[in-house]
Amino acid sequence: MGKEAHGTIPLVRLSRAVDGLPEQPLGDAGLVTWSVRGEMGKSGLLLGRPLLHVHVQANPVVVCQRCNAPFAYPVDSEVLLQLVKSEADLDDDTSYGDQSDEDDEDEEGKGFVSNLPEKVVGSHHFDLLAQIEDELILSVPYVPKHDVCPGAQANAGEASPEEPAVKRPSPFAVLEQLKHKD
């Protein structure tokens, strides 16, 4: 452990990640930058356990679900993974020691321990690019939206809510006139 690797890969090569998305840009705008660092856990429940720090950066083009316009969604995700020897170890909660559900609270008693890493099966045939693609998929929201849609900004600039663009007569004005004719 203690080794590092990093690189880039075109988004279009990660077919599961871009499935259902609009056409992705080519060149630098369409690259996924990744880095991975391995180490052994140094303290607590992770002492002596093999860990991977995975960092993924990309800007996949997604479609805003409010305005239907494509936009680049920035992804900058870091995750800590624990490597286990077999699939049976994935669900094995005893690998963190003898803890019952009542003991899963942190020192301050504010909630469940949530800083334990996700477990993945590690082997000599570990597919690092599949793990990077998984992290990218998990980082893109299921329903992507602009913070503020570009069309909403343009519409807001055209007419302020206090002053309507066109003064229309009230539809009840005609009724008011009929009422006073008697």
Side-chain angles (χ1 to χ4, degrees):
M1 290 307 233
K3 295 187 178 186
E4 293 185 33
H6 62 278
T8 58
I9 185 169
L11 265 167
V12 294
R13 291 212 26 228
L14 303 176
S15 59
R16 290 183 303 127
V18 298
D19 184 35
L21 297 180
E23 186 174 333
Q24 299 299 308
L26 301 175
D28 288 347
L31 289 179
V32 176
T33 303
W34 58 270
S35 64
V36 177
R37 181 174 43 90
E39 70 178 21
M40 295 303 266
K42 294 178 179 73
S43 64
L45 299 173
L46 301 175
L47 182 63
R49 300 188 189 280
L51 304 173
L52 279 182
H53 295 269
V54 179
H55 185 201
V56 178
Q57 292 177 306
N59 291 296
V61 175
V62 296
V63 175
C64 175
Q65 297 302 299
R66 276 190 226 145
C67 68
N68 255 357
F71 71 102
Y73 183 84
V75 170
D76 189 353
S77 176
E78 292 186 53
V79 66
L80 178 64
L81 304 172
Q82 177 188 347
L83 299 174
V84 295
K85 294 180 181 179
S86 68
E87 288 190 26
D89 294 334
L90 292 175
D91 295 327
D92 184 13
D93 289 335
T94 61
S95 66
Y96 290 125
D98 293 330
Q99 291 186 348
S100 63
D101 289 341
E102 297 89 37
D103 294 335
D104 280 349
E105 293 195 15
D106 59 18
E107 302 90 49
E108 296 151 12
K110 293 182 180 174
F112 291 106
V113 175
S114 60
N115 58 350
L116 294 176
E118 181 180 339
K119 296 178 183 179
V120 294
V121 177
S123 70
H124 295 292
H125 304 291
F126 183 74
D127 191 346
L128 182 58
L129 286 181
Q131 195 64 51
I132 290 165
E133 185 173 22
D134 288 348
E135 188 55 33
L136 181 62
I137 290 168
L138 292 171
S139 298
V140 175
Y142 185 69
V143 180
K145 296 181 262 189
H146 288 106
D147 289 334
V148 176
C149 293
Q153 290 174 334
N155 292 343
E158 290 173 5
S160 65
E162 300 90 33
E163 292 182 33
V166 178
K167 288 271 189 185
R168 291 193 224 172
S170 168
F172 299 103
V174 175
L175 292 175
E176 185 68 30
Q177 290 172 358
L178 290 174
K179 185 174 155 184
H180 292 292
K181 282 190 174 184
D182 290 337

